[in-house]
Amino acid sequence: MNKKIIIKSLLLIMLFEYSILYSKTKNIKNSEVNARLQTIITKINDLPETYRPTDIKKALKLMLQGKSIWNNINKNKSYSALEVKIDEPHAALIIKNSFDMSPDNFWVEIHNNQKIQQAIEQANIEFTREASNSSEYYMLFRMTYLKIMLNNDEFIKKIIDAYQQAIIALQWFLYAQTLLENEPFHSAVIAIPDKDLSIFYFLDGYAELISPRYRLYSALSIHSFWQSDAYTRITRHWKYKKLFKDAAFGINFKNHIHNNEYPLPLNNAHILFGTLNNNLTFIKWQKHGPHVTDIIKNKIQTNPEFIRSDKLSKDILLQFKSLFGHPLTRYQNHLITKDGISAMIQMLNNESRTLFINFLKKIKKYNMLDNNIRKGNEIILNPQRFKDFQTI
């Protein structure tokens, strides 16, 4: 038989076998994706009515939209995540620059702009490259640039509307990941590794846009009460570990009371968020902000069994003390207050540490990969464990 014919026949056989293998792999992958969607739907349907979305199909679509937003944020393409529709090319470029331009190029863009300099210095912030690059003022500089360079209320409103939709959809994507990885909960603090602060910046930028310089106010300031959109907040979560003077922050979303529709997961309308000194960003969805009338009106009793927070449970503390074997010093107590489980692990000897970690894994059902950053019973969402899903 002709050598060329033999080679051609072998190639056709290999191509055929590959197509069969690819088809099987694709079917397996599709089956896994569909199974994950079913898991999400089942867990949502099992929720009490108080926490179940009024429109499950709409919630699923938001999860899918949030997946695209998450992917863009991780690629440092926050402008693409917004999906804002502005046809004027120059305005679109300004918006893109404000979100996606590299720090060095951004400083070159603004350093000779007197209006931007004046606006920054009016907030008692130095108009320097270092300040514009700092995690504290990164989005303040960029949102100031956006508003001054656009100088168009109609465009700003479009950006705010698109930004709000993106923030809400992102929360639903994160909620989908909690449903795929964790037991059901009705209230939770979620921590996410955020080395480049991309998640924090995305939330911070929206808060800065709707409530300029909101982080320059004290959590005890009257500003936190009269400002109804975004503000600095007091919170007990992660005491001694939060950046920016141990502050946390809040964003309110307008719920439609007449039909009991709340835009966030578990029928919430408020995001509490902040960032920590160990490269974690935390998020908590709440029914209300810090306003007294909201707290009274929206207070819901939650079964402690369905609460996940950074607070240490009593059984963990008892298990640790029994393995540690002697009284804690004041400094050791402080470390546990600040770092919780991650500090406990470091205090134990090798044998006790193994027993403690085994307890966390088998009794508490914690993922072993999270031990070094875990404080208490919070949900830790590691992007490396995120699972793909499609929605109907």
Side-chain angles (χ1 to χ4, degrees):
M1 187 181 291
N2 188 292
K3 187 175 180 180
K4 289 184 177 179
I5 296 175
I6 294 174
I7 293 173
K8 188 175 181 180
S9 299
L10 288 172
L11 287 172
L12 287 171
I13 292 170
M14 290 173 65
L15 181 62
F16 178 70
E17 290 179 345
Y18 173 79
S19 65
I20 293 174
L21 179 62
Y22 174 78
S23 178
K24 287 181 178 179
T25 304
K26 186 177 180 181
N27 287 337
I28 291 171
K29 185 176 180 181
N30 287 340
S31 175
E32 289 175 349
V33 167
N34 291 336
R36 290 168 189 156
L37 172 60
Q38 190 56 54
T39 296
I40 292 170
I41 294 172
T42 300
K43 288 190 175 184
I44 287 178
N45 280 320
D46 286 344
L47 287 169
E49 187 176 356
T50 303
Y51 303 100
R52 196 185 312 137
T54 53
D55 186 339
I56 293 179
K57 192 169 183 179
K58 180 180 177 182
L60 294 172
K61 288 182 178 179
L62 282 168
M63 290 175 182
L64 186 60
Q65 182 189 357
K67 181 171 71 170
S68 173
I69 290 162
W70 171 265
N71 290 336
N72 278 310
I73 292 172
N74 274 323
K75 295 173 184 175
N76 294 316
K77 294 181 178 180
S78 294
Y79 172 69
S80 298
L82 294 187
E83 299 181 357
V84 62
K85 294 179 175 60
I86 292 179
D87 296 329
E88 205 283 302
H90 182 64
L93 180 61
I94 290 171
I95 302 166
K96 189 176 190 305
N97 287 345
S98 65
F99 286 97
D100 293 352
M101 187 175 275
S102 71
D104 287 341
N105 288 341
F106 181 72
W107 177 250
V108 171
E109 175 78 8
I110 69 169
H111 78 285
N112 285 327
N113 191 305
Q114 295 298 315
K115 288 184 178 179
I116 295 175
Q117 180 174 351
Q118 184 179 8
I120 294 296
E121 290 178 346
Q122 280 180 347
N124 293 321
I125 299 168
E126 291 185 357
F127 188 69
T128 63
R129 181 196 297 261
E130 290 72 26
S132 71
N133 273 346
S134 71
S135 56
E136 188 164 11
Y137 303 128
Y138 189 85
M139 293 308 294
L140 184 151
F141 269 76
R142 287 168 182 260
M143 293 303 100
T144 301
Y145 163 84
L146 176 68
K147 284 179 280 191
I148 287 176
M149 296 300 292
L150 279 183
N151 192 27
N152 184 308
D153 291 340
E154 181 184 346
F155 286 170
I156 295 296
K157 185 181 184 306
K158 282 187 176 181
I159 296 166
I160 289 174
D161 290 344
Y163 210 156
Q164 175 175 289
Q165 179 65 20
I167 294 285
I168 290 171
L170 177 63
Q171 307 314 303
W172 282 98
F173 170 75
L174 296 176
Y175 182 52
Q177 296 302 326
T178 67
L179 293 175
L180 291 171
E181 187 168 340
N182 294 278
E183 294 303 312
F185 62 89
H186 301 160
S187 175
V189 178
I190 296 166
I192 311 168
D194 192 19
K195 184 178 179 181
D196 298 326
L197 294 183
S198 57
I199 305 167
F200 176 77
Y201 285 153
F202 197 67
L203 296 171
D204 185 36
Y206 176 73
E208 193 66 56
L209 189 60
I210 62 174
S211 181
R213 303 191 300 278
Y214 77 105
R215 284 198 291 107
L216 301 184
Y217 294 93
S218 165
L220 295 173
S221 170
I222 192 172
H223 172 271
S224 297
F225 290 90
W226 63 255
Q227 175 54 259
S228 63
D229 296 321
Y231 33 73
T232 298
R233 282 199 53 185
I234 295 173
T235 176
R236 59 181 173 77
H237 299 296
W238 277 288
K239 191 175 182 181
Y240 309 120
K241 284 188 73 69
K242 296 189 290 293
L243 295 182
F244 313 127
K245 301 177 182 177
D246 203 37
F249 314 105
I251 299 174
N252 268 338
F253 295 90
K254 308 304 182 186
N255 56 292
H256 305 292
I257 299 296
H258 61 279
N259 60 5
N260 199 32
E261 181 184 348
Y262 290 81
L264 300 175
L266 299 167
N267 284 327
N268 289 301
H270 180 85
I271 296 177
L272 172 71
F273 72 101
T275 190
L276 310 179
N277 58 17
N278 60 349
N279 296 321
L280 291 179
T281 286
F282 71 88
I283 294 171
K284 183 179 182 182
W285 306 307
Q286 297 178 314
K287 182 72 75 178
H288 52 75
H291 303 283
V292 176
T293 54
D294 287 338
I295 293 171
I296 295 171
K297 183 171 58 178
N298 295 310
K299 188 173 179 61
I300 294 175
Q301 296 296 326
T302 302
N303 187 330
E305 180 184 352
F306 295 103
I307 296 176
R308 298 287 303 270
S309 78
D310 57 308
K311 185 177 180 181
L312 283 167
S313 58
K314 291 181 180 178
D315 58 340
I316 291 177
L317 196 56
L318 288 172
Q319 182 73 10
F320 167 75
K321 287 183 176 179
S322 68
L323 292 169
F324 193 65
H326 48 270
L328 294 163
T329 66
R330 181 182 296 179
Y331 177 68
Q332 287 169 334
N333 271 313
H334 172 73
L335 284 180
I336 290 173
T337 299
K338 182 170 73 75
D339 294 325
I341 288 171
S342 59
M344 292 174 172
I345 290 172
Q346 297 302 316
M347 292 180 193
L348 295 170
N349 61 39
N350 289 338
E351 183 180 352
S352 297
R353 185 181 299 129
T354 300
L355 293 171
F356 187 58
I357 290 174
N358 194 49
F359 166 81
L360 296 174
K361 179 183 177 183
K362 292 188 174 180
I363 305 301
K364 303 304 293 183
K365 309 297 184 185
Y366 295 155
N367 192 306
M368 289 182 64
L369 297 175
D370 301 331
N371 285 331
N372 292 330
I373 56 176
R374 180 175 290 283
K375 182 189 175 189
N377 194 37
E378 70 272 17
I379 291 175
I380 297 177
L381 286 182
N382 193 325
Q384 294 179 350
R385 298 197 298 267
F386 278 5
K387 296 178 176 65
D388 190 21
F389 63 88
Q390 296 294 333
T391 64
I392 53 179

